[in-house]
Amino acid sequence: MSSEAGRQDGWRDLLREGRFARFALLCLGVWLNAADALMTATIMPSVARDIGGYAYFGWAIAGYLLGSIVAGASAGQFSMRFGVRRALAMAAIVYAAGCVVSAIAPEIASFLVGRLLQGVGAGWVVGLCYVAIGTMFPEHLWARVLASISGVWGVATLLSPLIGGIFAEAGIWRWSFWLFAVQGTGFAAAALALLGEGHPQRDDHPLPIRQLAILTSGILAIAAAGLLPDAARALALGAAGLALLLWFVRFDARSRAPLLPRQTGNPATAAGAGYAMIFLLAAGTISFSVYGSAIMQALYGSSPLAAGYIIGAEAMAWTLAALAVSSLPDRWHGFFIRLGASCIVAGVAGLAIAMPRGPVAAIVASAIIMGCGFGLAWAFMARRILSSVDGEERAVASSAVPTMQLVGGAAGSAGAGAIANLLGFVHGIDATTAAAGSFWLFAAFVPVVGLGWLAAWRLAGLERG
């Protein structure tokens, strides 16, 4: 009984002392990113059929992630220079502008520009939300705030595939972007109304232009590899992109204004192991979001709405698992970090087997296992990273959590695009190409999530800072 009372007091404490407005705003910000991602995954086959660009199918995701990466990596400094209130409002306006560009795009190039702008705005919003968690809430509430934010993904899982599916089946996919443009504008107004002025810290640190340039170049190199016609050149360009990402980590650690905690490049530390875990697991699972809907529509005759909900099963499982374990004491955190990573490996392997052969129920089961893995591990992983860094690095460490996830997602999306185009997806996704290529779109990433499992095992074995 006392344990149950303690959990109830913890949830009530989340809403005390004026925290409710900040908590509600964080949920709204995460909704924009979560709902946009699932909605776009649902409508992308319709977009490609309408304005062309099957060869650039993965770029709609990679472009969004690229903008999110660059913005998310600078979210910590953005908040220090302008304060969280003004920074969130500006970020939401950029996001809304990107939605407008995507909504009116007459061809694939301008659509990709809109997706890039959406990514910039969403990356700032999500990064700033993580900054707010580390700076506006006491440490004993972090796991509950992170779990509650995961609950927003659950709501998005239910609603955003419905939004995208209805608009796609009606042939009016552009309306979905107008809807999110309105929401982005409303979020900007809410940030200005609900948050205090804050205290911007106008230090003498320069803007991290060189770090962002190296990071952007690495992501672009990996994404461009997906457009090359032969495997050798694609592999070389992809390897060059990964080398640039490694250079970014090393260069950033020596800079005056780092975008990541200085321990990031050292896998023997909690930050190093944790960020490696995030990158590898995100890279190894993004294929399902990028190509899952198109493959199921081509191979199993799923409607956009049904395919969207199958993709959303992963996010729903993530949410429910995160809420189920959010109140567990510290002694269980390491166990669930390892268990979660193991579930993710099993889910990706299951998709490699089930996606080309079916049945659809096996695909859904694999997605649920994969989502449960993220839900079981994510909040405990993030808390362990934040607890391991010094107070002055906490804002940077907080914003680096979603940033590293986005970097991994962009790298994985580009890699999946290269594999898909080499397998013939560049000419369109029909039953023949989907059956021939869907195995490799997931099997190729089993070693990647395996390395993420090793990083998770390392992180779970480290003492909290």
Side-chain angles (χ1 to χ4, degrees):
M1 181 68 70
S2 60
S3 176
E4 179 66 24
R7 285 195 292 268
Q8 293 297 326
D9 287 341
W11 285 109
R12 283 195 293 266
D13 192 34
L14 184 61
L15 307 179
R16 291 172 181 159
E17 300 176 5
R19 298 189 186 111
F20 176 73
R22 290 172 286 178
F23 175 69
L25 193 68
L26 294 184
C27 291
L28 288 171
V30 173
W31 156 262
L32 287 178
N33 184 60
D36 180 286
L38 291 170
M39 180 272 295
T40 304
T42 303
I43 68 170
M44 268 311 298
S46 300
V47 175
R49 285 192 296 266
D50 190 12
I51 62 176
Y54 275 105
Y56 297 88
F57 199 98
W59 277 70
I61 304 297
Y64 179 88
L65 293 176
L66 175 60
S68 297
I69 290 161
V70 174
S74 59
Q77 285 211 339
F78 195 29
S79 67
M80 288 190 292
R81 289 176 178 270
F82 297 101
V84 174
R85 176 177 178 263
R86 284 194 294 165
L88 276 173
M90 289 187 285
I93 292 299
V94 172
Y95 171 79
C99 289
V100 171
V101 174
S102 296
I104 64 176
E107 30 68 38
I108 191 65
S110 52
F111 179 80
L112 294 179
V113 171
R115 292 295 293 161
L116 179 65
L117 286 175
Q118 284 177 257
V120 170
W124 272 331
V125 168
V126 174
L128 290 165
C129 285
Y130 273 81
V131 169
I133 292 171
T135 59
M136 294 184 177
F137 294 88
E139 182 175 351
H140 72 277
L141 291 177
W142 287 350
R144 285 185 169 86
V145 175
L146 289 165
S148 300
I149 284 177
S150 295
V152 177
W153 281 87
V155 176
T157 300
L158 293 173
L159 296 182
S160 55
L162 177 62
I163 295 170
I166 290 174
F167 288 152
E169 291 183 17
I172 51 174
W173 58 265
R174 298 176 188 273
W175 289 23
S176 59
F177 289 107
W178 285 113
L179 177 61
F180 278 86
V182 172
Q183 292 179 72
T185 304
F187 178 84
L192 294 174
L194 295 177
L195 295 183
E197 285 293 335
H199 302 285
Q201 304 171 20
R202 295 187 177 277
D203 55 31
D204 59 352
H205 288 167
L207 288 173
I209 301 298
R210 284 181 291 180
Q211 292 107 294
L212 291 176
I214 297 170
L215 178 60
T216 302
S217 299
I219 297 299
L220 285 175
I222 296 172
L227 300 178
L228 296 179
D230 63 271
R233 286 192 293 170
L235 182 62
L237 191 56
L242 289 174
L244 285 169
L245 293 182
L246 292 174
W247 182 30
F248 159 73
V249 173
R250 293 176 61 85
F251 184 87
D252 185 69
R254 298 192 299 269
S255 68
R256 292 180 58 200
L259 297 173
L260 304 173
R262 298 188 187 278
Q263 303 172 0
T264 298
N266 183 2
T269 65
Y275 290 130
M277 171 186 170
I278 295 170
F279 173 86
L280 292 165
L281 295 183
T285 56
I286 194 66
S287 295
F288 188 57
S289 297
V290 177
Y291 288 102
S293 178
I295 290 173
M296 285 183 288
Q297 290 183 49
L299 202 53
Y300 301 105
S302 301
S303 68
L305 180 60
Y309 273 113
I310 294 172
I311 299 297
E314 177 193 359
M316 176 58 73
W318 181 332
T319 297
L320 295 177
L323 292 173
V325 301
S326 64
S327 299
L328 291 175
D330 288 2
R331 66 178 180 272
W332 287 101
H333 292 187
F335 171 79
F336 279 103
I337 289 172
R338 288 172 172 171
L339 178 61
S342 300
C343 289
I344 293 169
V345 174
V348 174
L351 286 171
I353 297 170
M355 189 65 78
R357 299 176 179 86
V360 172
I363 298 173
V364 175
S366 297
I368 290 174
I369 292 171
M370 191 165 65
C372 282
F374 279 108
L376 293 174
W378 196 261
F380 302 143
M381 172 274 303
R383 184 180 179 187
R384 187 157 291 195
I385 291 173
L386 296 184
S387 299
S388 71
V389 300
D390 296 333
E392 63 268 18
E393 281 197 309
R394 189 153 289 164
V396 171
S398 299
S399 65
V401 171
T403 297
M404 195 60 69
Q405 182 186 8
L406 293 169
V407 172
S413 175
I419 294 171
N421 287 341
L422 289 172
L423 293 170
F425 282 35
V426 66
H427 303 299
I429 302 176
D430 55 23
T432 301
T433 56
S438 55
F439 170 78
W440 292 108
L441 277 173
F442 298 97
F445 289 99
V446 172
V448 177
V449 292
L451 291 174
W453 180 87
L454 291 176
W457 199 267
R458 171 65 180 171
L459 174 66
L462 296 172
E463 295 292 332
R464 289 183 62 238

